[in-house]
Amino acid sequence: MPPRPHKRSGAATAGRPHAAWALPGVLFFAFFAVVPMGLAFYLSFTSWDGLGDPTPVGLDNWRKLIDDDRMVQSLWLTVLLTAASWVFQTVIALLLGVWAAGRQRNRAVLSAIFFVPFLLSSTAIALLFYALLDPNFGIIQENILGSSSGAFLAIVFVGGWQFIPFHTLIYQGGARQIPEVLYQAAAIDGAGRYRQFFSITLPQLRHTVTTSTVLMVVGSLTYFETVLILTKGGPGTDTAILPYLMYEAGFKSYDFGYASAIASFLVLVATGLSLILVRLTGFGGMRSTREGM
């Protein structure tokens, strides 16, 4: 008789954690993310001033969302801020991350210093730059925050100053996973440092770029503290992005139903853009745990 197949031993499943280990993370995400999003989506179909019980109003808040002229302007400003932030942060973070992945002298110390801004809160950073950009007592004797372009660029710069270190760390990890043999082979073929960067490093970091981009897009769509402290949506409404419009609707007009509709719209947009990026870049089809392999 042919030997019976052996049952799967414990060694065959070694390294595969039990599903129960994911329970704390699932509960945390459900309590602090899923439940609040579900509550906001429910409130988007009601009229509520923060007191008493919400009154169902059907699709009135969503119709108001479509017909609101400020909504169109805020959506355009949000898209523009997202695009500008992506360009500014990606270029610098990618170059710093690739550099930090090397073996330069004092690299570890400099990498730690670069990471310090990310450890500060957005509120503290916004207050710091608000003082630095004060036309009377700041380091620049011009009213930068008083002009539309100056206020917008200030928001992009302050956001980049805080979050570039985080994305630098992502690119540093991705660059360290690139097999050294690729660079050795390129050097033998006579490829210089710039040729290696564009022909090896960038293609190998394509999935890392996708990961960083998704985080940037979601972060830009929920950007709020810096706008509130630096410009308060001004001058006029020139920096009133969607999260700030949501804040005004909820905490100035006390229309929490409409504010919840804006919040739900932001969630839908962020989720849709993330799925599109993952689909177009082929990130979902990546199987290797090592970048580019």
Side-chain angles (χ1 to χ4, degrees), residues 2-277:
R4 294 181 179 180
H6 293 285
K7 291 184 178 180
R8 213 171 187 183
S9 63
T13 58
R16 181 178 298 176
H18 194 274
W21 288 100
L23 186 60
V26 171
L27 292 177
F28 183 88
F29 179 76
F31 186 76
F32 290 101
V34 177
V35 173
M37 285 191 294
L39 180 61
F41 189 71
Y42 163 74
L43 290 176
S44 69
F45 298 99
T46 66
S47 175
W48 188 45
D49 60 359
L51 300 174
D53 297 326
T55 303
V57 294
L59 296 175
D60 288 356
N61 290 321
W62 290 91
R63 295 192 186 97
K64 181 180 178 181
L65 192 69
I66 297 174
D67 298 333
D68 192 349
D69 293 335
R70 287 196 62 190
M71 177 66 184
V72 177
Q73 181 194 24
S74 297
L75 180 59
W76 164 246
L77 288 173
T78 304
V79 172
L80 193 60
L81 175 65
T82 302
S85 298
W86 181 86
V87 173
F88 177 58
Q89 295 182 34
T90 298
V91 172
I92 299 178
L94 176 59
L95 295 177
L96 285 177
V98 173
W99 174 84
R103 298 182 178 86
Q104 297 85 353
R105 188 179 181 182
N106 299 325
R107 173 190 53 79
V109 175
L110 291 175
S111 297
I113 295 175
F114 291 157
F115 196 73
V116 169
F118 184 69
L119 302 178
L120 304 176
S121 69
S122 298
T123 302
I125 292 174
L127 288 172
L128 170 65
F129 277 95
Y130 183 78
L132 292 175
L133 296 175
D134 187 282
N136 299 314
F137 306 102
I139 59 176
I140 301 177
Q141 302 299 315
E142 294 184 14
N143 190 12
I144 295 178
L145 300 179
S147 65
S148 300
S149 58
F152 182 83
L153 293 176
I155 293 171
V156 173
F157 176 81
V158 173
W161 190 83
Q162 179 182 9
F163 293 109
I164 281 176
F166 173 71
H167 295 281
T168 296
L169 190 64
I170 294 177
Y171 286 114
Q172 181 185 19
R176 285 183 175 177
Q177 294 300 314
I178 301 176
E180 186 66 26
V181 66
L182 297 179
Y183 295 103
Q184 294 172 356
I188 293 175
D189 290 338
R193 180 176 299 178
Y194 295 102
R195 179 71 177 183
Q196 292 178 19
F197 177 79
F198 287 102
S199 298
I200 298 177
T201 306
L202 278 182
Q204 292 290 312
L205 289 178
R206 60 189 183 278
H207 294 307
T208 306
V209 173
T210 302
T211 302
S212 175
T213 298
V214 170
L215 293 175
M216 284 185 190
V217 168
V218 174
S220 298
L221 289 175
T222 57
Y223 214 42
F224 171 69
E225 302 99 320
T226 302
V227 176
L228 176 65
I229 295 174
L230 276 185
T231 66
K232 294 181 176 59
T237 58
D238 290 339
T239 58
I241 57 177
L242 284 177
Y244 187 80
L245 188 65
M246 176 183 65
Y247 160 78
E248 283 192 330
F251 295 96
K252 286 189 175 181
S253 301
Y254 297 101
D255 190 352
F256 289 99
Y258 184 51
S260 298
I262 299 175
S264 301
F265 177 74
L266 278 171
V267 171
L268 294 176
V269 171
T271 303
L273 288 177
S274 300
L275 292 175
I276 291 173
L277 286 171

